[in-house]
Amino acid sequence: MKTAFLTGITGQDGAYLAKFLLERGYHVAGLVPRRSTVDRWRLDYLGIVDQVEYIDGDIMDVSSLIRGLKACKPQEVYHLAAQSFVGSSWEQPILTAQVTGMGVLHVLEAIREVDPFIKMYQASSSELYGLIQEPQQSENTPFYPRSPYAVSKLFGYWMTKNYRESFQMYACNGILFNHESPLRGFEFVTRKVTDAVARIVHQKQKELRLGNIAAKRDWGFAGDYVEAMWLMLQQNTPDDFVIATGKTSTVEEMCRIAFDYVGLNYQDYVVIDPALYRPAEVDILLGNPEKAKQELGWAPKTKLEQLVHMMVEADLRRVAKMS
Ligand code: NDP
Ligand code: GDP
């Protein structure tokens, strides 16, 4: 039986990946940082909360990573933990640099120390492209990060590549474009919209305040994307891959789909709030998943409409229970 060690197991991707690996017969161990309240709602939602081994530790504490790796002896490490919200990265830039940037080096060092043959997945991001240098972004497109979050991810990207080249470690960057689900954090725009739609339907909210609705993103379903993470670690040689749908839509279009689904007109509810604009914006992202298709045999399965409908339905059910 293979063992996988996940950082960020309580997050959106950690939960979906844990479920995916359990279904393939893995023993799944997850690093869980100390918090004042234990919250494993995502693992609970997927019905796997009791199937995972939890290891106390924090990616800012290398000794806890070393102890965790020694305890569970994994063949694969998926490093997903991060301060993952771009918006907060201007409010907490130093913490973001430490957790989202230095955290990657801590994981790489722990692996190098304990067993350099452990394979490692690094959760890189399409935010690296920022001020895009090509209309459709591939593994060869130059980066131009636009937030403290993206600059921190750039450090993690290069450290991962550097450890691969310096120490022959099997370390891969998955350059994932935005991926969403009913388990997405409420601060991200898609979830903010689908939660608002459900609350408006249940008369718990009257309007939805948004920032730049002209921004475009290449949105996919998190459940599809975790398979790509796993595939990256099953190859003969480590490499970096873009994971995306190859389609881009505005935030406004995403809103329209969500409100349409419940028979409402988004224009009656959306209020533009300049305070929600970002200091530096990523106007448009559009990924080219061709390399993943050719070399990993991976392709996205879920269209934007299906994804948004799935999220609205889940939020309608959840908000109805609160009534
Ligand atoms: P989430 O924000 O849902 O999850 C982040 C996880 O990291 C949580 O489990 C969180 O635990 C954990 N974490 C935060 N700080 C620490 C710490 N100091 N030590 C240990 N664990 C910590 O993110 P996603 O699941 O959406 O994303 C997974 C990864 O993929 C992240 O690195 C993200 O930046 C990256 N990514 C995500 C994309 C997306 O569209 N979702 C796109 C591209 C990249 P807790 O909740 O207890 O703080
Ligand atoms: P990101 O791509 O990782 O930053 O994901 P988000 O979901 O946080 O943001 C996607 C886009 O939506 C960005 O261009 C934001 O500026 C835009 N956006 C517009 N209004 C909002 C809002 O109210 N909240 C968030 N999070 N994003 C918004």
Side-chain angles (χ1 to χ4, degrees):
M1 188 197 263
K2 269 192 187 175
T3 295
F5 180 84
L6 278 57
T7 69
I9 193 160
T10 55
Q12 170 188 259
D13 292 7
Y16 278 108
L17 180 63
K19 185 170 168 67
F20 177 91
L21 294 170
L22 287 166
E23 284 168 358
R24 271 149 197 82
Y26 276 72
H27 174 67
V28 176
L31 185 82
V32 183
R34 154 88 184 127
R35 299 286 187 255
S36 62
T37 310
V38 177
D39 196 350
R40 298 181 187 162
W41 66 273
R42 294 183 170 101
L43 297 155
D44 203 24
Y45 184 97
L46 296 179
I48 56 169
V49 77
D50 297 327
Q51 297 175 44
V52 169
E53 179 190 359
Y54 298 100
I55 295 182
D56 284 344
D58 194 297
I59 58 164
M60 299 319 292
D61 182 342
V62 189
S63 66
S64 73
L65 291 170
I66 290 176
R67 246 192 312 279
L69 293 178
K70 282 184 177 165
C72 71
K73 299 185 175 54
Q75 287 78 40
E76 298 171 8
V77 168
Y78 296 86
H79 177 44
L80 308 174
Q83 189 302 91
S84 69
F85 185 45
V86 171
S88 292
S89 76
W90 281 283
E91 306 306 323
Q92 299 180 45
I94 296 169
L95 176 126
T96 303
Q98 286 169 341
V99 174
T100 306
M102 278 298 287
V104 184
L105 184 53
H106 293 169
V107 174
L108 285 163
E109 270 296 286
I111 293 175
R112 184 176 160 216
E113 178 73 26
V114 174
D115 174 4
F117 290 102
I118 296 172
K119 294 180 171 184
M120 188 236 192
Y121 171 86
Q122 160 57 12
S124 284
S125 164
S126 56
E127 289 290 321
L128 294 173
Y129 299 115
L131 186 64
I132 55 165
Q133 304 293 299
E134 284 179 331
Q136 190 167 15
Q137 300 88 51
S138 74
E139 295 78 4
N140 301 320
T141 305
F143 298 134
Y144 195 130
R146 290 273 278 176
S147 61
Y149 167 83
V151 174
S152 308
K153 283 284 181 189
L154 189 70
F155 176 84
Y157 171 91
W158 281 111
M159 273 299 170
T160 301
K161 221 174 158 84
N162 182 261
Y163 269 51
R164 183 164 81 213
E165 294 172 0
S166 305
F167 305 118
Q168 290 71 51
M169 279 169 54
Y170 192 115
C172 303
N173 284 290
I175 308 172
L176 271 57
F177 282 62
N178 296 52
H179 45 282
E180 321 292 312
S181 74
L183 302 186
R184 187 59 145 150
F186 288 85
E187 62 276 37
F188 295 90
V189 77
T190 55
R191 191 68 196 278
K192 185 173 171 183
V193 170
T194 61
D195 177 54
V197 166
R199 286 174 182 276
I200 288 167
V201 167
H202 287 284
Q203 296 174 348
K204 289 176 180 292
Q205 187 171 325
K206 288 196 168 61
E207 62 176 30
L208 167 60
R209 301 184 84 78
L210 292 175
N212 177 18
I213 60 171
K216 294 177 104 176
R217 288 292 181 275
D218 179 331
W219 280 298
F221 172 45
D224 293 347
Y225 284 31
V226 296
E227 183 186 12
M229 297 176 184
W230 174 75
L231 284 168
M232 281 179 220
L233 298 198
Q234 313 310 312
Q235 307 305 306
N236 292 327
T237 47
D239 205 348
D240 306 323
F241 292 90
V242 161
I243 301 299
T245 68
K247 294 196 169 54
T248 190
S249 309
T250 58
V251 171
E252 185 170 11
E253 172 65 1
M254 185 267 147
C255 276
R256 189 194 60 72
I257 297 169
F259 280 86
D260 270 6
Y261 192 60
V262 295
L264 299 176
N265 182 350
Y266 76 95
Q267 289 169 320
D268 296 336
Y269 299 94
V270 171
V271 176
I272 301 303
D273 183 348
L276 294 170
Y277 275 66
R278 291 177 171 175
E281 180 61 289
V282 173
D283 293 317
I284 172 166
L285 291 172
L286 171 63
N288 179 354
E290 200 49 37
K291 180 175 169 186
K293 196 173 172 188
Q294 295 302 328
E295 297 186 21
L296 302 178
W298 179 87
K301 299 187 184 89
T302 314
K303 293 200 167 22
L304 181 62
E305 283 75 9
Q306 290 170 288
L307 172 63
V308 174
H309 294 170
M310 181 200 311
M311 292 173 70
V312 172
E313 276 175 17
D315 277 326
L316 284 170
R317 280 195 298 275
R318 187 180 49 82
V319 175
K321 277 192 209 147
M322 292 160 53
S323 303

